[in-house]
Amino acid sequence: IQFEVKAPFVSDSKEEILKKVRTYDKKLVDVLELSWTCYAPIEARDLFGSKIVYFPCRKCPACLEREPVLPQKKVEVEI
């Protein structure tokens, strides 16, 4: 069995990838905005204690590379 692995964006920066994606498909950019790359998210509870909210740390290598290009949004989890 032979197979080939393709990784067309492996040497691109996040900024370069986003430029390519924007020219290809706006809907894909919307999907990327829902993604998360933070290695060490900050956890907090909302004022009523009914949700856990996660914020990107903005300090880990993934955040430092991504934030200038595609800021991450908080994530809320109902408890």
Side-chain angles (χ1 to χ4, degrees), residues 8-19:
F9 302 120
V10 73
S11 62
D12 293 344
S13 70
K14 289 196 180 354
E15 184 175 12
E16 292 168 327
I17 293 169
L18 194 59
K19 282 180 186 176

Side-chain angles (χ1 to χ4, degrees), residues 25-61:
D25 188 351
K26 171 64 174 109
K27 290 180 184 176
L28 192 52
V29 175
D30 294 341
V31 171
L32 286 174
E33 288 178 348
L34 297 174
S35 67
W36 188 273
T37 58
C38 182
Y39 299 156
I42 299 165
E43 182 180 309
R45 292 200 180 251
D46 71 345
L47 293 174
F48 305 106
S50 60
K51 294 180 184 175
I52 298 175
V53 182
Y54 295 94
F55 296 91
C57 72
R58 294 187 166 83
K59 296 177 184 176
C60 71

